[in-house]
Amino acid sequence: MINIEKISLIGLGALGSAFFSQIQKFVPQDNISIIAEGARAEKYRADGVNVNGRDYRLKVVEPFEKCEPADLLIFGVKFYNLDEAVRQVKNHVGNDTIILSLLNGISSEEIIGNAYGMDKVLYSISIGIDAVRQGTATTYQNLGMISFGQKTNSPGQYSTNVFKLKEFWERTQINYSIPEDMMKVLWWKFMVNVGVNQVSAVLGAPYGVFQKVKKARELMTASMQEVIDIAQVAGIKLTRTDIDEWLEVVDKLSPAGKTSMLQDIEARRPTEVDIFAGTVVELGQKYKVPTPINKTLLDIIKAYEGMFQI
């Protein structure tokens, strides 16, 4: 089995830059390509990125440049930039490339797989990271953990790509888990984002609010319950205990940490509300499950986005 040595990464937001800073400790910097084009590429070349107070220079590769395929290609973009990113990474995908999406939601893997083949794609979620990005600077205390794998993963019978990525996380000292039921875990993260991302954006609340303010915590869990109601009809094994599991996670996060959607609202950027509340409302209609809380969150956050255009 050939180890993962060449890494390509598209998307250097809070999540992407935090994982980049950890990976580069164990992988030669010349083996890590940052995919970007135009003004973004020039900015990366000139400024690099700053993570936890340390400046990093970047090896930037534009989409049109010919290059060797990556052993591991990581997507760290926002969902609304995914279609463009899929086009930009073409030269980095070879026969043996493993593709990993760190995107929120429950559909990015299929979108990438439709372009390059599902045999190259592993499902994944990032749990417990508290990275915050301001300008070109990212800070975090907890890198959290990556859960990844095929849709189903039998211990001792993992696929070759799962074994390769398992070795890579161990080598780069990134905590990981390989769930037997990866689809449940993917939906669990979706449920979490529907709750904490959206409610934090509406309330302007860092994680500390959800640790201390009862009503904020209740609103978060009520929006998550609507995802559970849909999941149970759709055949996904989420239950109320999965909310309890998240509450244990959120109570350990930095009180000053902020969700990605709150950061988007504060920066007056478009949000990912369409893949959170938008998806919940759409699935609620499909499965005839009421979703009044997520419909309200969708309307409020869309109103925020409209205000950004004034």
Side-chain angles (χ1 to χ4, degrees):
M1 183 177 69
I2 300 174
N3 288 342
I4 293 170
E5 301 293 346
K6 293 184 180 298
I7 295 91
S8 293
L9 173 62
I10 186 164
L12 278 181
L15 197 64
S17 57
F19 279 103
F20 164 81
S21 71
Q22 179 66 18
I23 290 169
Q24 67 81 42
K25 295 177 184 178
F26 303 94
V27 176
Q29 191 161 342
D30 195 53
N31 283 8
I32 307 174
S33 298
I34 306 302
I35 306 167
E37 66 179 348
R40 185 181 299 275
E42 290 304 315
K43 184 172 180 60
Y44 282 161
R45 289 191 184 100
D47 300 335
V49 293
N50 181 286
V51 182
N52 285 346
R54 177 180 171 183
D55 290 321
Y56 294 90
R57 310 312 299 174
L58 304 173
K59 175 187 174 184
V60 180
V61 181
E62 300 215 29
F64 63 83
E65 293 183 52
K66 296 296 183 181
C67 60
E68 289 187 32
D71 298 321
L72 175 63
L73 169 60
I74 301 174
F75 282 79
V77 299
K78 295 286 190 179
F79 189 85
Y80 48 76
N81 289 326
L82 180 58
D83 288 342
E84 181 183 17
V86 168
R87 173 186 62 81
Q88 292 177 332
V89 303
K90 181 178 179 180
N91 288 338
H92 296 256
V93 181
N95 292 333
D96 298 320
T97 301
I98 298 171
I99 303 176
L100 198 72
S101 169
L102 299 180
L103 274 69
N104 292 318
I106 52 177
S107 59
S108 65
E109 285 85 359
E110 279 71 21
I111 292 172
I112 297 167
N114 286 338
Y116 297 112
M118 285 303 301
D119 60 307
K120 295 180 175 61
V121 179
L122 292 178
Y123 294 86
S124 72
I125 63 168
S126 172
I127 305 171
I129 188 169
D130 57 6
V132 176
R133 185 170 176 81
Q134 294 182 321
T136 60
T138 296
T139 57
Y140 71 90
Q141 293 184 20
N142 302 299
L143 194 59
M145 177 178 70
I146 292 279
S147 291
F148 75 99
Q150 309 284 354
K151 284 187 176 181
T152 58
N153 304 280
S154 299
Q157 301 179 36
Y158 299 142
S159 70
T160 298
N161 282 352
V162 169
F163 270 119
K164 284 184 177 181
L165 195 53
K166 175 179 179 293
E167 186 279 333
F168 181 73
W169 296 141
E170 291 171 352
R171 183 168 18 120
T172 56
Q173 298 184 14
I174 292 174
N175 293 327
Y176 70 88
S177 69
I178 306 172
E180 291 190 42
D181 187 349
M182 188 65 214
M183 297 313 293
K184 176 185 176 180
V185 174
L186 199 71
W187 271 71
W188 180 84
K189 179 63 180 295
F190 175 60
M191 174 195 73
V192 167
N193 281 325
V194 163
V196 70
N197 250 299
Q198 298 187 131
V199 177
S200 69
V202 169
L203 298 180
Y207 293 123
V209 170
F210 299 100
Q211 296 164 353
K212 297 179 181 178
V213 180
K214 181 180 178 181
K215 285 298 182 182
R217 199 172 176 98
E218 289 175 348
L219 181 57
M220 174 181 68
T221 58
S223 62
M224 295 164 72
Q225 183 62 49
E226 292 182 351
V227 176
I228 292 177
D229 295 341
I230 292 169
Q232 291 177 342
V233 177
I236 305 296
K237 299 175 182 179
L238 285 181
T239 67
R240 174 70 198 198
T241 59
D242 292 299
I243 293 180
D244 296 335
E245 182 181 344
W246 164 245
L247 295 178
E248 292 179 5
V249 173
V250 77
D251 285 342
K252 296 175 183 176
L253 297 179
S254 168
K258 298 179 180 181
T259 67
S260 59
M261 188 174 286
L262 175 55
Q263 294 177 57
D264 288 338
I265 290 291
E266 291 180 340
R268 300 176 67 86
R269 295 189 296 255
T271 74
E272 295 183 306
V273 69
D274 288 328
I275 64 168
F276 296 149
T279 298
V280 173
V281 171
E282 181 180 335
L283 291 176
Q285 293 170 346
K286 175 181 178 180
Y287 292 111
K288 297 181 171 54
V289 175
T291 58
I293 295 174
N294 275 280
K295 179 61 169 67
T296 300
L297 292 171
L298 177 64
D299 290 343
I300 293 173
I301 295 169
K302 282 293 187 183
Y304 271 126
E305 292 183 338
M307 291 164 59
F308 299 160
Q309 308 303 317
I310 298 175

